[in-house]
Amino acid sequence: LLSGVLAGLGGVARAAWLSTGSVCVQVALATMVVLTRRDPLAPLLVVFAVGPAVLSLGLLAELRGYTSLRFKDPRADLRGVLLFSLKAHLANVVHLLHMRLDVFVVKVFLNPHDVGLYALAQAVCEWIWLVPRSAATTLMPAVASSSTELGISYTARASRLMLLLAGGATVFLAAVAHWLIPFFFGSA
């Protein structure tokens, strides 16, 4: 919700960078926990609970720069910002439910072990998808406020770059998966 408020105030790039930074810190901390702890469950829960809290604090600190004392009634502006952020938040919730629904459908057809493998593969795909999604969030205001030709140019350049990054990450993970999976999950 705070990311939506910041984006609605014109801080789309800052919101995307804060979200991406939060995810990177969570991944780094989770990797350290998994590599150094025999039983990583409790520390991982702390890492993934603290990460969103730190992101929220960063977003609140960033939002302070967008507020100022004014002598006009801010309710009209606030209503638009909250409406935008609520719509963005609801869209994210619906999208998240959509992304998780298939695990329940797969569960009907496969055993729990195979469902776990499917869920792991899905999680890896979501991590790869984060960069293009962040770029799309950042690109949207620039495209919306530019001419048609410039908007097409921005979109084409960003699409090529995101295809290169996501495709490169996918090829890299496919190449090293046969080493990474046993390293993280054992050979069984």
Side-chain angles (χ1 to χ4, degrees):
L1 186 65
L2 292 174
S3 293
V5 170
L6 186 57
L9 290 170
V12 176
R14 290 182 183 268
W17 278 112
L18 282 168
S19 296
T20 303
S22 172
V23 169
C24 291
V25 168
Q26 281 181 319
V27 169
L29 290 174
T31 303
M32 288 190 311
V33 166
V34 167
L35 294 176
T36 59
R37 302 285 300 222
R38 186 177 268 310
D39 183 24
L41 182 60
L44 281 176
L45 290 175
V46 170
V47 165
F48 287 107
V50 169
V54 171
L55 172 62
S56 295
L57 290 175
L59 287 168
L60 285 172
E62 193 64 34
L63 281 170
R64 285 186 338 155
Y66 286 86
T67 60
S68 63
L69 294 175
R70 291 185 235 155
F71 293 106
K72 69 174 196 165
D73 187 4
R75 285 182 284 187
D77 295 337
L78 185 62
R79 184 179 8 246
V81 167
L82 288 176
L83 185 61
F84 175 84
S85 62
L86 182 62
K87 288 178 185 177
H89 182 67
L90 288 175
N92 285 337
V93 168
V94 168
H95 182 69
L96 182 64
L97 289 173
H98 175 258
M99 289 175 57
R100 297 292 180 248
L101 183 64
D102 60 336
V103 174
F104 295 107
V105 173
V106 169
K107 182 181 173 191
V108 172
F109 299 105
L110 300 176
N111 62 43
H113 176 266
D114 292 338
V115 172
L117 291 175
Y118 178 82
L120 175 64
Q122 183 183 37
V124 170
C125 290
E126 288 173 19
W127 285 105
I128 292 171
W129 182 62
L130 278 176
V131 174
R133 184 165 183 228
S134 297
T137 301
T138 306
L139 184 65
M140 188 264 303
V143 170
S145 64
S146 65
S147 67
T148 303
E149 295 80 22
L150 194 56
I152 290 170
S153 173
Y154 286 159
T155 304
R157 284 189 297 168
S159 297
R160 286 190 293 270
L161 179 61
M162 292 307 108
L163 179 63
L164 180 68
L165 290 174
T170 303
V171 169
F172 172 76
L173 285 174
V176 298
H178 62 282
W179 292 300
L180 286 180
I181 292 172
F183 177 76
F184 285 111
F185 300 104
S187 60

